[in-house]
Amino acid sequence: MASNESLSLPFTPSDRLANEDLLPVAERRWGTYSFFALWMSDIHSLGGYVFAAGLFFLGLAGWQILLAMLAGILIVNQLLNGVGVMGQKTGVPYPVLARLSFGVFGANIPALIRAAVGIVWYGVQTWLASLSLVILVEAVWPGASAALPGQWLGLTALGWICFMSMWLLQLVLFWRGMEWVRRFIDFCGPAVYLVMFALAAWMLSQAGWGAFTLRLSDRVLSTADTVYEMLGVVALVVAYFAALLLNFADFSRFGVSEQAVRRGNFWGLPINFMLFALVTVIVTASTLVVFGEAILDPIEVVHRIENKPVLILGSLTFVIATIGINIVANFVSAAYDIANVAPRHITFARGGLITALLSIAVLPWQLYHNPVVINLFVGGLGACLGPLFGVIMVDYYWTRRRQVVIADLYSEDPAGRYWYQGGVNLRAVAAFVPAASLACMVVLWPGAGHLEAYGWLIGTLAAAAIYALIMPREPA
């Protein structure tokens, strides 16, 4: 399967650096709505719901939370526009863009780091989606768990059936190619909205409008603490999008125009994110009255509603929502990144299959229930995403002045602009390593406290500053 139709190229790419999927695309079909829907799929998820609801428990006033969230998402919007322009202008995916700064072979460093994060979270999200499927099966067939006894590697028989069903469903969708991915996310983002609005309306009808509040915590903060928490919200919002900040070019390369990317980002990020946050807090605030406690997990909210049709519809919705974010945030990137390691042998489709198989091998439910392991592994790798972003962005906008020689991205010629030393830019590595080490210390150090929210920002700024200092700037 080829994920795109490549351009008729005026150069001959090395087969160690190119295949049909990694070459610049010719056919671009993603318009404003597709990018809007992409962000709906990314935000309208279990993780997005819990993240947005959790911010309202920090002790801030409602307007302070919303202001900080708006500031954070506006920053994300600007950064993603910057990444989006890179992808739309060049037509190449993230691991190929990384060759500008890290070298044609050195780009495997940022590619494999991003792939590792994607693989683990792909497995975790697939398992979380399977939990909704378990609830759905038990609602339709109450004796399902009893009829399917046994446990293997920490997962029940029913759990395995639901997990593998979700695993196979996503693989089939992905195998159809990026055009099918686009069509799926065009559908699932709005579909989740309809159910979320319906859930919010039902919860308010049960709790009454008097239950609605934007402040879900009894904490009283000083002025200094208020400012600190607001800045923390801004940092957390930016960090939430850290993965897609790095590889948004995987999608923007299919954009019909730069304006389509920008408009889709505007509607999908500031507008959509803030509206989803309001719907989330309405449901969460209502649970305090309806169930006597704040419930941040929407699956649990749906599960407590004693109405089988509602339970079935809600479970199906969150299955769809999780598939949407999983493909957008984890699967596509890992497939491109793995293909970049050996393009001669690994296509986009094969990279996706490898991603799917590895997502089972990591036993994601075991990782999820071991906070030490998941914090060290995923937290440490996640901290590296900021420094990678800093190097790549400074290289494109400052060092290169937005000028890219596409042919040299696929060339093993030592005279090529992105060959550096044996295909690796040691200056990029020299900027990345100390910045990533600093970011990991901030995120993983037990005494860091709330500073871990700033790990992505600290790593990004450190890498950007070092790279700007040691990498010669090209003449205008």
Side-chain angles (χ1 to χ4, degrees):
M1 178 201 73
S3 64
N4 63 84
E5 295 180 20
S6 63
L7 292 162
S8 178
L9 300 171
F11 61 89
T12 302
S14 164
D15 62 0
R16 294 179 64 200
L17 295 169
N19 58 33
E20 187 73 12
D21 303 300
L22 296 177
L23 290 171
V25 291
E27 188 174 355
R28 306 188 183 205
R29 298 181 179 178
W30 291 53
T32 297
Y33 177 77
S34 291
F35 289 106
F36 173 40
L38 180 144
W39 294 119
M40 282 195 286
S41 292
D42 183 61
I43 293 168
H44 303 177
S45 63
L46 297 176
Y49 182 104
V50 174
F51 171 74
L55 295 178
F56 288 88
F57 285 87
L58 295 175
L60 296 168
W63 69 268
Q64 293 168 336
I65 298 169
L66 293 176
L67 181 61
M69 291 176 76
L70 180 60
I73 200 64
L74 286 174
I75 292 171
V76 169
N77 185 55
Q78 287 300 111
L79 294 176
L80 279 164
N81 281 341
V83 179
V85 168
M86 294 165 62
Q88 200 282 326
K89 182 177 179 180
T90 61
V92 303
Y94 156 69
V96 176
L97 270 179
R99 296 174 186 176
L100 271 74
S101 49
F102 283 86
V104 291
F105 292 124
N108 283 318
I109 298 171
L112 289 176
I113 290 173
R114 178 65 182 92
V117 174
I119 289 166
V120 172
W121 280 119
Y122 178 75
V124 169
Q125 292 279 13
T126 300
W127 172 69
L128 290 174
S130 74
L131 296 181
S132 293
L133 194 56
V134 168
I135 292 173
L136 178 60
V137 171
E138 290 180 334
V140 176
W141 179 19
S145 295
L148 298 168
Q151 190 176 85
W152 185 55
L153 295 176
L155 208 58
T156 64
L158 179 60
W160 269 109
I161 291 171
C162 291
F163 175 75
M164 293 307 299
S165 297
M166 292 302 307
W167 182 89
L168 185 60
L169 177 62
Q170 293 174 110
L171 186 62
V172 169
L173 174 65
F174 171 81
W175 202 264
R176 301 300 297 270
M178 286 298 291
E179 180 59 18
W180 274 79
V181 169
R182 181 185 69 83
R183 292 176 184 177
F184 179 77
I185 63 177
D186 280 357
F187 158 76
C188 70
V192 175
Y193 244 143
L194 290 176
V195 174
M196 284 298 298
F197 278 130
L199 181 60
W202 187 88
M203 291 296 294
L204 273 179
S205 72
Q206 300 299 303
W209 279 99
F212 177 61
T213 177
L214 293 178
R215 184 167 188 155
L216 303 180
S217 172
D218 295 327
R219 290 180 61 196
V220 178
L221 303 178
S222 65
T223 301
D225 286 339
T226 297
V227 173
Y228 182 73
E229 292 289 358
M230 288 182 70
L231 290 175
V233 170
V234 174
L236 285 169
V237 170
V238 176
Y240 178 80
F241 292 89
L244 275 167
L245 276 169
L246 196 58
N247 73 284
F248 181 48
D250 290 340
F251 302 94
S252 66
R253 66 190 296 231
F254 297 103
V256 295
S257 67
E258 182 180 321
Q259 284 305 310
V261 176
R262 291 181 180 275
R263 285 194 298 264
N265 285 353
F266 174 75
W267 288 103
L269 290 164
I271 303 300
N272 174 60
F273 181 76
M274 297 304 293
L275 180 59
F276 185 74
L278 285 173
V279 174
T280 297
V281 75
I282 287 172
V283 176
T284 305
S286 298
T287 62
L288 286 166
V289 176
V290 177
F291 303 120
E293 60 178 317
I295 302 175
L296 273 65
D297 184 348
I299 294 180
E300 179 64 21
V301 175
V302 171
H303 200 206
R304 291 201 185 190
I305 299 174
E306 296 178 356
N307 185 305
K308 185 171 288 189
V310 172
L311 176 61
I312 293 172
L313 178 61
S315 298
L316 279 174
T317 299
F318 290 116
V319 165
I320 292 171
T322 307
I323 292 175
I325 187 175
N326 218 10
I327 289 178
V328 167
N330 301 315
F331 209 175
V332 169
S333 176
Y336 278 126
D337 296 336
I338 292 172
N340 190 70
V341 174
R344 183 187 302 170
H345 306 290
I346 306 176
T347 61
F348 180 66
R350 289 174 183 171
L353 180 59
I354 293 170
T355 297
L357 292 173
L358 290 176
S359 73
I360 301 175
V362 298
L363 302 179
W365 51 91
Q366 301 280 23
L367 284 176
Y368 192 82
H369 289 306
N370 191 327
V372 175
V373 173
I374 202 166
N375 187 44
L376 287 174
F377 182 71
V378 182
L381 283 174
C384 296
L385 301 183
L388 294 174
F389 179 81
V391 169
I392 291 170
M393 292 295 282
V394 167
D395 183 84
Y396 180 79
Y397 283 100
W398 172 257
T399 305
R400 310 287 173 196
R401 303 174 190 263
R402 305 190 186 192
Q403 300 303 310
V404 180
V405 180
I406 298 294
D408 285 358
L409 291 172
Y410 302 94
S411 173
E412 292 186 68
D413 185 349
R417 301 180 76 179
Y418 315 118
W419 180 254
Y420 301 107
Q421 295 86 37
V424 180
N425 184 6
L426 297 179
R427 286 188 174 94
V429 176
F432 166 72
V433 171
S437 300
L438 177 61
C440 287
M441 287 175 58
V442 171
V443 170
L444 301 177
W445 179 44
H450 291 321
L451 279 177
E452 67 182 35
Y454 299 93
W456 184 90
L457 178 62
I458 291 170
T460 298
L461 294 177
I466 296 171
Y467 190 76
L469 287 173
I470 65 176
M471 189 68 185
R473 195 181 189 198
E474 294 186 351

